[in-house]
Amino acid sequence: MELKKDSNAVAIDMLLIVHSEKLRAAEGTHLNPQAEPDSRLQRGGGFQGVSNGTRKWQKLEGNDLHGNLAEKQHRQQPQVITSYDNQGTQLTVEVHPRDAMPQFLKKFSLAKRLQGDKNGNTRPRQPGNKDAHAYPWDRSSLKSMPLDLQQFEKVDTYASQVTVKSGLDELVSDLLQEAHSDLERVRAIWIWICHHIEYDIEAAQEKDRQAFKPTDILRTQKTNCDGYAGLFERMCRIADVQCMTVPGYSKGFGYQTGQSFSGEFDHAWNAVYLEGRWHLLDSTWGSGLVDKATSKFTFLYNEFYFLTHPALFIEDHFPDNKNWQLLKPPQSLRQFENSMYHKSEFYNKGMLSAHPDVSMIRTVNGKATITIESCAPTLFMFMLNGKQEHGLLNLRKNGMKLEVYPPTMGTHKLQIFAKGNSDIYSSVLEYTVNCNYVDLGVQLPAELHQPVGPSWFSEQMGILKPSHPDPVIHTRDGRCSISFGVEEGISVLASLHGDDALITEETQRRYIFQLHREKRIELKVQLPHAGKFALKIFVKKRQEPGNYIFVFNYLLCCANTKVNWPVFPESFGNWGQDNELLEPLSGVLPANRNVPFKLKLHGIAKALVKGQDTWPLTLNHEGYWEGSCSTAGCQEVYVMVLENANHNFYSYILKYRVNTQ
């Protein structure tokens, strides 16, 4: 054996003779998945390498690893096996029959950067320590290199409009007209593929995934993930940019929370070499998404998967070769399976972290708590088993807190959505909640919508300095008073909701009496019975048309079974914003009684109470209108006002019902 060294490589001349019996044993070793855990055999025999440290089998003229016919017909022909290891080492071995003498020696090279193969193509160097990023994510950037996306505006606009004229070479040449660096060349190719190549769902679902040729992809403009990655690599090589295809497992279409991965790889993506370092991207997932319900593909560009930070990329991409994780330390397959899957929209919409950080969680005393931290105020919502029920979601300045109470024992699907800067809520997290105990004392109203409690959002909508900052209010006697400031020009509407028939659509506002005092609003609330209720708050700008907008709600809780408050009196449009009702607060008056009235009314000339007869109210020195009324012989009682002393027209402002018993 002769050893030679130079500045670039180490070459070893070696003669290896293997007997045929040992050859068959060696073949069996290569076909044993336990012996070669990093390699995956494709259907139809032989593993086709993808230049990522896996083995590449070369067959000569009918030589078949699974049969002997070709061996008998060409017994004098040597078998040639070429292998690449994870460091780029190339080993070529000739295997001769027992009675044959080798005619020449093969060499293998341990090159430091680029190797040449039998076709004269160069092999990019494998990733090393200089390519690795620290794990876990340091929150510095979503990208693996500093990027200003605005610098790509010209390239993006141009590349997205380039059309295929003839072949792949001409297409790449056209794309590179506005690209002046390797980074811009990669960007142009990325943008074109993401905007022109459609995901072929039928091909992806075939049992034996077919290989897509670049010419076929250009003609049909459809392919599967292998085709996306292969096309991207081919176009990069034409553009003289080092690129690799990386196969592996993914948490993509059809992924179920907590599932394990085994067998053949289900996805492929790319690594590109830019500015002295490897970077990862996935043009399949950058191009759009597949609707689970309809299994239809929709173009929807996703910037997240372009040069993604490896510590984020590993959440849904696990490569066959751990070196292509570009992480230190690398993650195991078990860690990949058990780790929390933050969807790309989680990061696109400014989320930073979530707790718990595992996808399978258990309730504690019937409750599961989830918190999310975001880099800016964000709107959230959730669904438990497809319904917006059984949870309390409280917005925070930089995130949210969610408490869910599954209604039954067993497994439940929890989805969390975020709005971000767009007008659409997108799914960002999914949990599987295992519940082994149900707290029957926690039964939330079905009408309790999200969010619960005041927050930065209610302040943004004009509701300021609430008297009750917490989302849950407990009352012993079934009554409470809630106040908050309001911005100029904002109207507020409130309604009470429970899960029984006592609170109807007609009466849901009658258990609340709204008072205006300077720049604050007070809501007096009386509950019809013990239980849990949703107090919804709506706002609207007075000068703008349209409906009131839901802002938030409180959860009101009362355990006193003796509570049985009636509705408040019904108010009409002429009830002024600054008016105040001191008595009677009950909207149901006793029969055959003299009932005292005391109100503060602004800007009126006269006031009276009308039942069977009419009783005037007088203005006292404190500014209150006072008087009394008999409920004998009447079913309804009204408070009426005269706004202009020169007119005789009275307006209704309050209505009471007289109890018939």
Side-chain angles (χ1 to χ4, degrees), residues 63-348:
N63 191 1
D64 187 272
L65 288 175
H66 300 285
N68 299 319
L69 179 60
E71 183 179 350
K72 293 178 180 179
Q73 293 176 343
H74 302 277
R75 186 169 297 275
Q76 299 306 315
Q77 299 251 6
Q79 294 190 54
V80 179
I81 299 175
T82 301
S83 176
Y84 301 103
D85 75 356
N86 292 337
Q87 304 302 320
T89 303
Q90 176 181 322
L91 173 64
T92 302
V93 178
E94 285 190 11
V95 182
H96 295 262
R98 182 197 302 267
D99 55 350
M101 293 295 294
Q103 301 299 317
F104 55 87
L105 299 176
K106 291 291 183 182
K107 299 179 181 180
F108 67 93
S109 174
L110 280 70
K112 298 300 181 182
R113 291 185 59 85
L114 297 177
Q115 274 76 224
D117 62 17
K118 67 175 185 177
N119 298 319
N121 297 321
T122 58
R123 288 177 48 78
R125 73 162 178 83
Q126 297 294 305
N129 289 333
K130 65 178 295 186
D131 302 288
H133 295 253
Y135 184 89
W137 183 46
D138 60 6
R139 300 185 177 187
S140 60
S141 173
L142 301 182
K143 302 297 186 181
S144 55
M145 64 186 298
L147 289 182
D148 178 7
L149 295 181
Q150 293 182 348
Q151 72 177 347
F152 294 133
E153 288 182 357
K154 185 177 181 180
V155 172
D156 290 358
T157 301
Y158 173 79
S160 63
Q161 298 173 353
V162 172
T163 57
V164 179
K165 297 176 182 177
S166 58
L168 194 61
D169 290 84
E170 184 178 359
L171 171 62
V172 174
S173 178
D174 290 343
L175 283 173
L176 301 188
Q177 294 301 313
E178 297 294 334
H180 306 292
S181 66
D182 281 356
L183 175 58
E184 290 186 349
R185 294 182 186 97
V186 168
R187 181 71 178 190
I189 295 170
W190 158 268
I191 288 293
W192 188 89
I193 290 179
C194 289
H195 287 79
H196 289 84
I197 304 302
E198 178 181 346
Y199 187 71
D200 193 333
I201 301 172
E202 293 182 0
Q205 294 176 340
E206 291 179 358
K207 191 172 183 180
D208 293 310
R209 293 212 306 256
Q210 59 176 308
F212 282 83
K213 296 180 180 179
T215 53
D216 294 333
I217 298 174
L218 293 187
R219 177 177 53 82
T220 63
Q221 297 207 341
K222 296 176 68 174
T223 187
N224 60 8
C225 58
D226 297 328
Y228 275 99
L231 178 64
F232 195 95
E233 178 180 351
R234 179 60 183 157
M235 293 177 73
C236 282
R237 294 200 174 191
I238 294 174
D240 201 24
V241 175
Q242 296 182 42
C243 179
M244 303 280 275
T245 295
V246 182
Y249 295 124
S250 68
K251 297 179 180 178
F253 179 71
Y255 168 73
Q256 299 295 323
T257 302
Q259 80 173 59
S260 58
F261 293 87
S262 62
E264 292 186 351
F265 298 120
D266 60 6
H267 195 44
W269 54 94
N270 294 102
V272 290
Y273 192 77
L274 297 170
E275 299 182 9
R277 201 175 192 182
W278 284 107
H279 303 270
L280 302 171
L281 52 81
D282 186 342
S283 57
T284 308
W285 291 6
S287 63
L289 51 83
V290 177
D291 188 300
K292 291 184 178 180
T294 62
S295 293
K296 291 184 178 180
F297 174 81
T298 301
F299 278 107
L300 186 64
Y301 177 71
N302 193 342
E303 173 63 36
F304 179 77
Y305 291 106
F306 178 74
L307 308 187
T308 315
H309 194 292
L312 304 181
F313 204 76
I314 191 61
E315 290 195 14
D316 46 20
H317 292 74
F318 188 83
D320 71 325
N321 183 333
K322 66 180 181 180
N323 290 342
W324 285 115
Q325 295 181 24
L326 306 184
L327 290 175
K328 52 183 179 183
Q331 302 297 289
S332 67
L333 180 59
R334 179 62 60 87
Q335 289 174 304
F336 174 73
E337 292 172 342
N338 295 336
S339 66
M340 185 65 211
Y341 172 34
H342 303 96
K343 299 184 179 182
S344 61
E345 286 301 286
F346 181 90
Y347 297 107
N348 285 339

